[in-house]
Amino acid sequence: MQTADPNANKARHDPLEKVPVAQEPEMTEGVITHIQRFSVHDGPGIRTTVFLKGCQMRCAWCHNPETLRRAAELQVFAELCIGCGACVERCRRQAHEVVDDSRVFHRDRCVGCGRCAQTCYAKALVLVGETRTADEVAQELFVDREFYESSGGGVTISGGEPLMQPEFTRAILALCKRNGIHTALETNFAREWSFIEPLLTLVDLFCVDIKLLDDVEHKKWTGISNRQTLDNLRRLDTARKPVIVRTPVIAGLNDRPEQIHAIVDWLGSLFNVIRYELLPYHPLGAGKYLALGHNQPPQWFKAPAPHIFEQLTQIASLQRKP
Amino acid sequence: MTPEILHTISYEERLGYLRAKKEAQTREKLRRLGYMDEDDYGLVLPPEDFSWRPKPNHTNGSFYGISGWSKNFCDLLENHPVYVDPMDALAGRYMFLLNRMRSPVWPPELDYSHLKPEQEQYGIIHGIGNDQHLAPDLAIGLSLGWGGLLEKVRHCRNQHGPDKEEFFQAEEDTILAIQNWIRRTVNAIEEAEATETDPMLCENLREMAQVNRWLIEGAPRTFREACQWLAWFSMASRTYNRDGAGGQLDELLRPYYERDLRDGRIDDETTVFILACLLLIDTRYYQIGGPDAEGSDQTSRLSFLILEAAHRLKTTCNLTIRVHDGLDPELMRKGVEYLLEDRKACPRFSGDKALVEGFMRNGYSAAIARRRIAVGCNWMGVPGVEYTMNDTVKINVAKVFEVAFEEMMETTGVSPNIDELWRRFEDHLRKAVLCTARGIDFHLDHQHLNEPELVLNLFCHGPIERGLNVTNGGVDMYNMCIDGAGLATAADSFAALEQRIEKEQVITWRQIAEHLRNNYEGPDGRRVRLMMNTAEHYGQGDSLGDLWAVKISRLLTSLVKASPTPGGRNMIPGWFSWANTLALGKQVGATPDGRLAAEPISHGANPRPGFREDGAATAMVKAIAAIQPGYGNTAPIQLELDPGVGKGEEAVNNICSLIKTHVDLGGTLFNINIVDAQQVLAAHRDPSKFPNLVVRVTGFTAYFANLSPDFRQLIVDRIVREGNAVA
């Protein structure tokens, strides 16, 4: 009788045993909104994406308003509240009150400590923004490394804007590279080159957004110029680092063929663009805006009509392959 | 009736017609039979004016034993309406499940009331009186044909004394009845041929008659004959007792395909069409690809054509690709490609490495373990030599948990704590396993008196030679299944108690016991339920729930493997609930994971729906790989993916990676639904608008519209809360 390979299970981790820490932990801290496993639209293969909190752009259509500010914030989903009153007891700053059987939240008193959210089992109060060390984040990112290996995937750092936390980003990337994991960075690239240069050896794939090529329009809709982004893309080309360029397409804002043509033409001078992708806008953010106490974004931001998006995709595909 | 047709009808058009006809038959089943919370089976209803009822041979109105089954089966086949469609490559449909036409299913004089108190206490599905669930060796039938089988039975009859007369007479009568069914069908084909005006269909009917005329006695010689023979086996075996186990279809048919191809009798288009017709007749479980006894990959051109047939058919099919290191990677990619494109939850993927290594732990060689192939909802069997009761025996561990918890809380002088609860859970699970083992012995000792396997005996190595029913010493291997059900419900309950009571101290044992008694109603009930429900649970990854799930699975495994049944039969543990989650849930009151009384228990080995906010498939893949009992039976993963997972090469690559990684980590069986959550929600509101929506419910696939509202809700919960969360 043949017997099974005694080494077959050697590499498997016994879930009931603790794994010893192998090396000195990387203590650089940063703020993240969340970590998403089985991420299949943020680079090649199966990936885990960590979303960093804080962004310097203020895109009018942003559907992730919880990623704009760096500080932790309390999201209040009033419709989920069961009126148990636990938040009132937990809060040390009287940010929560019950007035005439209704729960009232004073955002101006809230410091984002999250004590109330810890006992809000109804998830009506959710703290977004968690301070973690790079090592803690990396340990979670490494959990799915078998899938990265078999799918050609890896880790993606996204946001918010990762370059707004450059040291934290660098530390996570370095840990990934040290462990042989493919890395991608999703960024608006609107920071000085000096923040990017130290990352060149740590990032396998850059994914950079060009929202609009016209700078006046860009300033109008995002709050800042696109000059830095375009300049950095040229430098990245010189550095021979591969990049996927992407444009989120919003109806009536950047869905005219000439707008996409202009980006395609501009990219024509670069040699490092693997692909130019258009991302149809998903209007998901209204509830999140309200939960954060912001005004709701203008309702007219919509996804482009399917036939228009198809036409734009054809134009985008004209971007030559390397 | 021949439809209005063009002179030359393509295979695609013929399949389109046959598919539409099946869909109409499915709607008819819904109208006449009501909801079916199970496999579609391919069963077709008899004409509305046709009536047949079995004749009882017991005062309780049911029928039992060799003669009871033999007489009723033969009479049913004698009267069974014949079915011919000139557009089809194969003749026949089956219209009855004889084992569903009697009640009670167990003769009262074979008393097992001594087992019932514990069976009820622990929510045990004991399997006593359950039938089939073994793998036939169809090569026996293909090599002998019905005539050869009859000769074999008569030859063996002569080797035995008069005490076996009844058994052999019944086996002979079974074959004669099947032959007569084929003969009557040949007559019907000839009648159809005489009135058919289309020359091409006329030629098809002529060949169909020729094929079937030969098959009354002869062993199949050509590919079409082999498929028609498999169809007759399927129809007869389903009619007898709903048996749905197939075999290694590519290898069974490869010699016929290659010979016909070499001799110019067939081309690939015709092969695919005939295969599609075979798959249309019955949703039987077939394996393709995988290793042969020596470990070499069996993938052939025919493996791809079988996949292609299911792809073109686009109805409910149950094909399993056996994933091993040597598998042709193209077969796996093709399977995933069709899974994504067709959205019919077909094929499935089984993990050879863990199945083989696991089965070898029972003392078998690698060669035997490799022959143990996927032929059922969740289960494997060695064709023709193994009897298992697979998928018929289950212990509701959520119920065992409840018994342990209530006992601890009601015992005076005991200070409740998690270690004490675990000790009592262990004690009760041990009792439940022993009670189940006794039930298995009881079944094996008496089932031949209740329901002999008159059809499947013919396709095993031993029953005919020895004159013994397969349940009663007819075969050499008895590896009896015990599946646990409700893993996540029990694991999450342990985790919630440990976290909220012992670690956080935000509630006491007495308080939670009171809330469970009140089904989380009354003051603070809603908050407490949410608190328990949001504790760390199984599937999140390195959570308390994950640890408890591993601990519970190891406990079940060690208890099952600690010793054979009292009667000396080997047992093999697995995790599977089949379609029993609703019924098993009704046995259990509110649980500490926030589940309300009588709500369904968790599905199979799966974490509960909504186990992670991101619904990460990778997390589920790892969680379920970690709880595998590891003795050759399965703990399947049932994964729901939104079509947003992507398309094209990249999506195929990613899903292949999920499957391969699960298999590498010890996974045994991988089921995937690719379903749009919005579509499922719309179909739940008005199923009639989505008559073609097919979902893999558990091991089997079903038309969504034919499921009951409660059952549809289960599917909706799974798909909406998991599939939709894909990034």
Side-chain angles (χ1 to χ4, degrees):
Chain A
M1 191 181 94
Q2 293 183 36
T3 53
D5 174 10
N7 296 319
N9 297 328
K10 212 173 179 179
R12 285 187 210 159
H13 156 52
D14 185 329
L16 296 185
E17 287 176 16
K18 295 269 180 230
V19 183
V21 177
Q23 56 201 26
E24 279 295 302
E26 167 56 76
M27 300 306 287
T28 307
E29 283 189 343
V31 184
I32 68 169
T33 59
H34 67 291
I35 290 174
Q36 184 169 308
R37 290 166 70 180
F38 194 55
S39 178
V40 291
H41 299 303
D42 294 312
I46 293 175
R47 312 189 72 79
T48 300
T49 302
V50 52
F51 294 88
L52 274 53
K53 194 157 160 32
C55 183
Q56 77 280 45
M57 282 190 180
R58 288 294 177 270
C59 303
W61 62 84
C62 179
H63 61 209
N64 290 317
E66 76 281 10
T67 65
L68 294 177
R69 293 179 59 215
R70 169 120 175 230
E73 297 170 90
L74 191 68
Q75 291 178 303
V76 181
F77 299 98
E79 70 280 9
L80 298 178
C81 177
I82 59 168
C84 70
C87 52
V88 179
E89 287 174 30
R90 291 278 292 175
C91 184
R92 290 171 174 156
R93 298 178 61 93
Q94 289 77 48
H96 299 284
E97 274 190 310
V98 175
V99 179
D100 298 334
D101 285 343
S102 293
R103 195 198 48 77
V104 177
F105 175 55
H106 302 282
R107 187 169 289 279
D108 54 328
R109 298 179 193 168
C110 177
V111 291
C113 70
R115 277 174 56 83
C116 57
Q118 282 168 4
T119 53
C120 184
Y121 304 117
K123 297 190 179 173
L125 304 173
V126 177
L127 189 73
V128 59
E130 192 184 350
T131 300
R132 309 261 290 262
T133 67
D135 195 60
E136 287 167 348
V137 170
Q139 291 310 315
E140 200 168 330
L141 298 177
F142 295 168
V143 166
D144 278 346
R145 60 185 309 157
E146 302 99 327
F147 298 94
Y148 311 153
E149 283 161 19
S150 61
S151 70
V155 160
T156 299
I157 303 187
S158 184
E161 173 46 53
L163 296 177
M164 296 304 286
Q165 300 187 55
E167 275 309 302
F168 185 51
T169 298
R170 187 205 54 73
I172 298 170
L173 288 168
L175 286 168
C176 289
K177 291 319 291 175
R178 200 183 300 161
N179 283 275
I181 292 172
H182 180 276
T183 55
L185 185 71
E186 289 185 338
T187 168
N188 61 32
F189 244 22
R191 292 219 77 184
E192 296 80 355
W193 181 250
S194 59
F195 288 104
I196 297 162
E197 195 165 23
L199 306 181
L200 290 180
T201 57
L202 301 174
V203 177
D204 294 308
L205 175 66
F206 285 85
C207 301
V208 178
D209 278 10
I210 299 181
K211 326 262 188 204
L212 288 145
L213 196 67
D214 182 294
D215 197 33
V216 175
E217 289 276 295
H218 196 276
K219 278 183 194 152
K220 177 182 170 188
W221 292 111
T222 71
I224 61 174
S225 165
N226 65 12
R227 291 298 148 220
Q228 186 74 60
T229 301
L230 301 180
D231 185 47
N232 287 337
L233 275 167
R234 284 195 202 90
R235 286 173 182 252
L236 198 66
D237 187 44
T238 308
R240 298 272 186 255
K241 291 297 292 186
V243 62
I244 293 175
V245 177
R246 307 181 308 184
T247 300
V249 183
I250 298 109
L253 198 148
N254 62 355
D255 67 342
R256 296 196 307 279
E258 60 271 25
Q259 289 173 298
I260 302 302
H261 258 306
I263 297 174
V264 168
D265 290 345
W266 189 88
L267 292 174
S269 63
L270 305 182
F271 292 93
N272 62 337
V273 181
I274 294 174
R275 198 162 63 231
Y276 175 45
E277 290 178 348
L278 302 184
L279 311 172
Y281 175 65
H282 291 295
L284 300 171
K288 292 184 186 175
Y289 272 90
L290 294 174
L292 288 163
H294 297 239
N295 291 327
Q296 203 166 326
Q299 288 299 304
W300 58 267
F301 288 122
K302 287 182 182 158
H307 71 281
I308 291 178
F309 189 75
E310 180 57 34
Q311 184 191 1
L312 299 180
T313 304
Q314 297 281 339
I315 296 168
S317 69
L318 297 174
Q319 161 62 30
R320 60 168 176 70
K321 302 279 186 293
Chain B
M1 191 181 76
T2 306
E4 196 173 313
I5 45 169
L6 299 170
H7 179 66
T8 301
I9 311 167
S10 68
Y11 287 140
E12 194 184 333
E13 287 168 317
R14 286 168 72 179
L15 266 188
Y17 160 81
L18 292 168
R19 188 186 311 113
K21 190 171 176 181
K22 176 179 168 114
E23 285 163 6
Q25 288 162 341
T26 304
R27 285 193 295 275
E28 181 68 359
K29 280 198 276 190
L30 182 62
R31 185 181 73 79
R32 282 169 58 183
L33 303 179
Y35 296 120
M36 283 176 64
D37 285 345
E38 56 181 334
D39 198 318
D40 165 71
Y41 298 131
L43 177 139
V44 167
L45 292 179
E48 288 212 62
D49 58 355
F50 180 86
S51 169
W52 183 88
R53 296 299 307 167
K55 292 179 184 59
N57 67 353
H58 194 283
T59 51
N60 68 3
S62 189
F63 62 92
Y64 306 103
I66 292 176
S67 75
W69 275 91
S70 169
K71 287 198 171 88
N72 276 306
F73 182 63
C74 294
D75 190 58
L76 172 54
L77 291 203
E78 181 69 35
N79 290 284
H80 197 292
V82 289
Y83 184 105
V84 177
D85 190 320
M87 299 281 266
D88 206 319
L90 306 175
R93 289 291 187 277
Y94 75 99
M95 301 174 184
F96 298 91
L97 302 170
L98 183 55
N99 65 338
R100 293 274 174 90
M101 300 177 80
R102 65 172 189 151
S103 179
V105 296
W106 191 256
E109 54 275 17
L110 302 177
D111 179 34
Y112 60 93
S113 57
H114 57 292
L115 298 174
K116 282 186 178 165
E118 280 194 332
Q119 288 173 345
E120 282 164 20
Q121 184 185 16
Y122 298 126
I124 293 167
I125 297 176
H126 49 68
I128 296 172
N130 212 322
D131 47 22
Q132 32 102 13
H133 291 94
L134 64 134
D137 185 354
L138 297 176
I140 296 175
L142 285 167
S143 64
L144 295 177
W146 298 109
L149 282 167
L150 189 60
E151 273 180 41
K152 176 182 168 183
V153 170
R154 286 175 174 161
H155 172 77
C156 292
R157 184 179 191 166
N158 290 333
Q159 313 294 310
H160 290 274
D163 59 317
K164 304 286 187 194
E165 273 301 293
E166 190 190 22
F167 175 81
F168 282 109
Q169 187 61 51
E171 292 292 1
E172 272 195 45
D173 290 346
T174 297
I175 297 169
L176 290 168
I178 295 168
Q179 286 177 309
N180 190 41
W181 190 12
I182 303 173
R183 193 174 291 113
R184 291 195 299 116
T185 303
V186 171
N187 295 340
I189 301 168
E190 286 168 347
E191 283 170 23
E193 186 190 342
T195 57
E196 179 58 59
T197 53
D198 180 85
M200 195 198 81
L201 296 182
C202 205
E203 175 62 15
N204 179 48
L205 287 166
R206 193 187 61 72
E207 281 178 29
M208 193 190 284
Q210 201 174 31
V211 162
N212 282 281
R213 204 178 295 117
W214 173 260
L215 289 178
I216 296 169
E217 290 290 338
R221 300 159 300 181
T222 65
F223 187 78
R224 187 168 176 178
E225 285 177 359
C227 288
Q228 180 70 72
W229 188 91
L230 287 175
W232 282 118
F233 160 77
S234 294
M235 291 186 280
S237 201
R238 281 280 193 203
T239 303
Y240 187 80
N241 61 5
R242 198 177 60 96
D243 156 54
Q248 182 79 37
L249 190 59
D250 44 7
E251 277 302 285
L252 285 168
L253 290 175
R254 190 172 54 82
Y256 305 94
Y257 165 71
E258 287 178 352
R259 191 159 56 228
D260 279 10
L261 200 64
R262 188 188 61 217
D263 297 345
R265 272 195 297 271
I266 206 167
D267 56 23
D268 281 356
E269 280 299 298
T270 308
T271 304
V272 168
F273 178 67
I274 295 172
L275 285 166
C277 291
L278 175 65
L279 298 177
L280 189 67
I281 283 179
D282 187 0
T283 55
R284 192 158 290 267
Y285 290 85
Y286 293 111
Q287 178 172 296
I288 57 174
D292 64 12
E294 282 72 45
S296 302
D297 188 35
Q298 300 181 97
T299 303
S300 65
R301 173 77 189 144
L302 196 55
S303 315
F304 287 90
L305 297 182
I306 292 166
L307 268 187
E308 181 70 23
H311 165 63
R312 299 219 191 143
L313 191 57
K314 290 185 177 50
T315 67
T316 52
C317 285
N318 290 308
L319 300 177
T320 306
I321 294 177
R322 177 89 160 211
V323 180
H324 68 126
D325 287 346
L327 180 71
D328 181 341
E330 272 312 300
L331 186 69
M332 184 157 163
R333 293 190 70 81
K334 203 64 181 169
V336 171
E337 189 184 313
Y338 287 157
L339 188 76
L340 279 163
E341 185 183 334
D342 300 342
R343 300 187 193 174
K344 301 290 181 198
C346 179
R348 316 180 305 157
F349 302 86
S350 68
D352 180 74
K353 183 179 161 69
L355 290 170
V356 168
E357 286 178 5
F359 193 60
M360 288 170 71
R361 288 193 191 104
N362 297 285
Y364 294 103
S365 69
I368 289 176
R370 289 185 190 118
R371 284 169 50 208
R372 199 167 194 259
I373 59 174
V375 287
C377 248
N378 66 317
W379 57 275
M380 318 284 144
V382 186
V385 294
E386 187 187 23
Y387 183 71
T388 62
M389 293 177 82
N390 273 332
D391 196 16
T392 68
V393 179
K394 304 191 195 312
I395 297 174
N396 183 355
V397 295
K399 183 71 183 164
V400 175
F401 172 88
E402 181 179 64
V403 171
F405 182 84
E406 286 179 356
E407 183 190 79
M408 177 180 77
M409 296 310 296
E410 286 163 12
T411 306
T412 49
V414 169
S415 172
N417 64 76
I418 204 78
D419 294 335
E420 177 66 20
L421 179 60
W422 175 252
R423 195 188 63 68
R424 287 171 188 270
F425 177 76
E426 190 175 348
D427 185 43
H428 284 289
L429 190 56
R430 182 178 293 106
K431 289 178 184 163
V433 168
L434 181 59
C435 173
T436 308
R438 288 189 176 130
I440 288 169
D441 281 342
F442 189 86
H443 170 87
L444 288 168
D445 292 342
H446 299 95
Q447 172 69 356
H448 61 290
L449 303 171
N450 169 45
E451 179 184 339
E453 295 287 351
L454 293 179
V455 175
L456 285 172
N457 278 339
L458 297 167
F459 305 99
C460 290
H461 301 273
I464 303 304
E465 291 83 347
R466 300 169 196 173
L468 289 174
N469 193 53
V470 66
T471 60
N472 187 36
V475 288
D476 291 341
M477 294 165 60
Y478 288 83
N479 294 302
M480 312 314 297
C481 148
I482 293 191
D483 285 329
L487 176 63
T489 305
D492 293 352
S493 292
F494 271 111
L497 293 170
E498 184 182 1
Q499 182 181 339
R500 300 303 192 199
I501 299 177
E502 303 216 332
K503 286 180 183 287
E504 297 172 357
Q505 300 181 355
V506 291
I507 193 166
T508 67
W509 288 95
R510 298 288 164 211
Q511 285 169 333
I512 189 65
E514 185 65 19
H515 282 292
L516 296 182
R517 264 194 298 280
N518 296 332
N519 199 22
Y520 293 109
E521 286 170 9
D524 211 22
R526 198 173 170 199
R527 186 188 71 87
V528 170
R529 183 182 171 219
L530 286 165
M531 179 175 80
M532 302 307 280
N533 188 252
T534 52
E536 292 184 19
H537 44 263
Y538 169 50
Q540 285 179 316
D542 272 343
S543 69
L544 279 177
D546 285 295
L547 296 178
W548 279 107
V550 170
K551 208 169 160 178
I552 292 170
S553 187
R554 287 187 184 174
L555 175 64
L556 176 73
T557 303
S558 68
L559 293 174
V560 170
K561 296 310 295 179
S563 59
T565 67
R569 280 90 174 202
N570 182 41
M571 296 187 289
I572 304 184
W575 287 100
F576 194 59
S577 53
W578 193 66
N580 299 118
T581 51
L582 280 168
L584 293 177
K586 290 194 194 313
Q587 304 169 340
V588 187
T591 40
D593 61 339
R595 178 191 146 278
L596 294 175
E599 281 188 349
I601 58 163
S602 58
H603 176 85
N606 269 38
R608 69 190 194 204
F611 64 102
R612 277 176 64 95
E613 282 184 13
D614 62 6
T618 51
M620 191 195 280
V621 160
K622 293 190 89 161
I624 295 179
I627 58 83
Q628 296 292 324
Y631 280 85
N633 277 7
T634 69
I637 177 170
Q638 173 67 50
L639 184 65
E640 320 297 337
L641 289 177
D642 186 86
V645 71
K647 48 191 174 185
E649 278 293 294
E650 195 147 307
V652 170
N653 181 49
N654 289 343
I655 293 178
C656 283
S657 161
L658 283 179
I659 297 166
K660 277 194 298 202
T661 307
H662 187 58
V663 165
D664 287 346
L665 293 173
T668 43
L669 186 60
F670 210 124
N671 298 323
I672 308 178
N673 273 317
I674 310 278
V675 192
D676 184 330
Q678 294 310 314
Q679 187 191 27
V680 164
L681 282 170
H684 191 29
R685 282 193 295 273
D686 186 358
S688 64
K689 286 187 179 155
F690 299 86
N692 307 330
L693 179 61
V694 169
V695 292
R696 189 163 295 280
V697 177
T698 151
F700 61 81
T701 51
Y703 283 99
F704 190 75
N706 284 32
L707 299 171
S708 67
D710 279 356
F711 222 86
R712 293 203 307 265
Q713 186 65 49
L714 277 184
I715 311 294
V716 166
D717 286 348
R718 256 174 28 203
I719 288 171
V720 171
R721 298 191 63 186
E722 287 166 28
N724 214 29
V726 167

